[in-house]
Amino acid sequence: MTKTRVTLKDVANKVGVHSSTVSRVLNPKTRSMVTEEIADKILSVVKDMGYRPNAFAQSLKTNKSFTVGVMVPDLTNPAFAPIIKGIDDMLEAHGYSVIVASTYNLPEKQQSTVEKFRERHVDGLIIATAKRKDSLIDDCRQEGTPFVQAVRASVDADVSSVVSDEIIGGNMVVSHLAQLGHKRIAYVAGPQFLSTGYERYRGFLQGMKNAGLEADKDLVVFCEEFTEEEGRNATSKLLALRKKFTAIYAGNDLLALGVYDELEADGIKCGQDISVVGFDDMPFADKFNPPLTTVHTPLVNVGGEAARILLEKIADSSIPARTIKLKPDLIVRSSTGRVK
Amino acid sequence: MTKTRVTLKDVANKVGVHSSTVSRVLNPKTRSMVTEEIADKILSVVKDMGYRPNAFAQSLKTNKSFTVGVMVPDLTNPAFAPIIKGIDDMLEAHGYSVIVASTYNLPEKQQSTVEKFRERHVDGLIIATAKRKDSLIDDCRQEGTPFVQAVRASVDADVSSVVSDEIIGGNMVVSHLAQLGHKRIAYVAGPQFLSTGYERYRGFLQGMKNAGLEADKDLVVFCEEFTEEEGRNATSKLLALRKKFTAIYAGNDLLALGVYDELEADGIKCGQDISVVGFDDMPFADKFNPPLTTVHTPLVNVGGEAARILLEKIADSSIPARTIKLKPDLIVRSSTGRVK
DNA sequence: ATAAATTATGCAATCGTTTGCATGAGTTTA
DNA sequence: TAAACTCATGCAAACGATTGCATAATTTAT
């Protein structure tokens, strides 16, 4: 019942030394300062008594929390779970704990979250919620806490970020479609205030150019969110144009799912009548009807690399900012086919 | 550059009072002890200087961390993201932060995680990884830190848990199949050392009984994990029996996806030749081919309720343990059909 | 054998709060 | 007007670790 914790002093008393000696034994850096014999004794008592350091006291003294804050838009968004997994595994291996928070794309939630993180003195931040221009980023830069952006980058130059190479992805998609004989390709663009939406759109345009195709402005619809609903709306707009196109390339897989829905509602067969491509290769994209051709972005690695860069920055804050673009892969499934 | 934090003392000096007075103003419970006039002044200076309490110092003194640890098997398992969302939203609203850790079903990882949580003095634990009989649970009970089990319960009586009512779910599924004329129903069971696997199997048996059907032992295959691969293996075993059955009911949606794969490989049409049912209603279960008939378990609520119970327990540890079973819903989609 | 250099350990201040107790000013009562 | 009470505020001791400095013990050099 008496759940009184064991402290350094308790251990010290039992062994008959001073608490500072125990502290030194437990800290690898100072371990060599104390005699082997005493150290062994201390270590065994530490084990016997089940001593566990008090993280608060340590943090208070050392001003390090071994805690990192991670901000994502929504935990249930299938793209973010793998990212967090990557972050978590990497940081855990280095003794850090991860505090996750969803901001649901609400600026005020984003702000309050970062405040909370500061109160808890996180050693660093990983931000996967930022817009291309985001006051949060200035804020964080001023504050001085190390941070890294993941998946979504902002326009600020001297901020580290880890993203997938959206441009290359766009090229691969268009080139694939072109090979299948598609010429008139519609694009369902994600939000342009997010780097993913913006860059992927640029990738599409560049891909068209490289393939010697002309991008028809009418066949590009911009969405305000990466959601199925926006994908449906966009598709119905495209269909209403009554212009000819043989493929729809969507800014991400969720939008593509919306495209599926709307096409099906119109009795159009994906992959046969019209080819559809997504982006992200979210979990179970291979289970959809039809299995979705999409660009696989290495989400777990994006998270892992972001964590690694953050660790570097925590260890040495003078390290210059850098941007890592991971190479994506085109995954061809049956939602794309030769144009008839 | 000089990122020196503002402390209570700094504020006190500026106002010309003692730091304890500032502390009292900031704490709602002691706020009334100090004169309105001074309090106002303090509050305004607090704001001006951008004072933020040092969570470590507070926690060290009060022995409360306002932090909760959550253990899940795998962040990328689609069933667990909604649960964490429910937990996170509930706890965040009460000023708590959530530390998540994946244990990947490894006992040693589970153990080290709980150690880590203890070092960080979490105020409570939510465990979604426990087996029906799990030494971890005894361990946690002894330790005395409040904890609640989510999704997976253990056999221990006096442990609080929040789960979905698996038995009712099983009844609904079998009754649905029976109405469609199915009599010979195969069951692909999840691991029996997990409450979900065990209870759902019991639900199946009970459902068969209630429907006046006989459960053929040969048509039950037990899996070691809730994975697609195990689902595939189980299905190939069933097919190898060369016994007649018209429906396969799987212990969860991932198993059901494995069933899909294997049936398709054998040229059998889900929903037409053989009906398939899952359990969980994981995200995008409606997008599969065919859309999956399954039992919707209110995962976000499971997480939310678990968090709520934990908060109660943190506030008053004498509260008796209780188990909450949330009602699931049958979601009929096109993977089930009338028997021909 | 003694001084000097080298250890190993203890001492005590510190990190930023919270909180029981002491204190002094102001108010009430006789 | 002095005694008895309030009441608001300050004082100082925690909480449990870390760490520069002092000191005692030991070794080495002369």
Side-chain angles (χ1 to χ4, degrees), chain A residues 75-239:
Chain A
L75 264 171
T76 51
N77 183 317
F80 289 97
I83 294 170
I84 294 177
K85 182 200 188 102
I87 293 173
D88 206 38
D89 288 351
M90 176 66 71
L91 290 180
E92 182 126 302
H94 286 79
Y96 282 76
S97 288
V98 175
I99 301 182
V100 203
S102 306
T103 61
Y104 302 118
N105 292 317
L106 305 172
E108 61 271 27
K109 190 94 195 318
Q110 188 164 282
Q111 192 56 42
S112 69
T113 299
V114 81
E115 298 273 317
K116 196 184 74 172
F117 284 158
R118 280 176 193 158
E119 260 180 44
R120 295 194 175 262
H121 288 240
V122 295
D123 293 338
L125 251 53
I126 294 182
I127 300 175
T129 62
K131 291 180 283 193
R132 289 180 61 234
K133 299 178 189 177
D134 203 319
S135 60
L136 178 77
I137 300 304
D138 295 321
D139 188 7
C140 287
R141 257 203 338 230
Q142 287 207 323
E143 175 76 10
T145 308
F147 73 101
V148 174
Q149 295 187 267
V151 213
R152 299 178 179 177
S154 69
V155 291
D156 306 73
D158 53 346
V159 171
S160 288
S161 58
V162 180
V163 298
S164 98
D165 195 323
E166 324 285 7
I167 305 276
I168 291 187
N171 272 299
M172 294 190 306
V173 169
V174 178
S175 138
H176 165 64
L177 290 173
Q179 269 179 356
L180 291 172
H182 295 274
K183 290 193 164 49
R184 303 198 48 80
I185 301 172
Y187 189 69
V188 174
Q192 296 299 295
F193 54 83
L194 297 179
S195 68
T196 41
Y198 180 79
E199 295 284 323
R200 286 172 191 183
Y201 176 47
R202 282 186 51 214
F204 162 72
L205 293 178
Q206 202 186 92
M208 292 294 276
K209 208 170 179 180
N210 290 350
L213 297 175
E214 200 179 341
D216 182 343
K217 283 236 162 120
D218 289 350
L219 292 181
V220 176
V221 183
F222 293 95
C223 296
E224 284 307 304
E225 289 181 285
F226 278 122
T227 59
E228 292 178 65
E229 190 181 353
E230 285 283 282
R232 281 195 292 272
N233 296 341
T235 309
S236 84
K237 278 182 203 161
L238 284 174
L239 293 173

Side-chain angles (χ1 to χ4, degrees), chain B residues 134-153:
Chain B
D134 203 319
S135 59
L136 178 77
I137 300 303
D138 295 322
D139 189 8
C140 287
R141 257 204 337 232
Q142 287 207 323
E143 174 77 9
T145 309
F147 73 101
V148 173
Q149 294 187 266
V151 214
R152 297 178 179 177

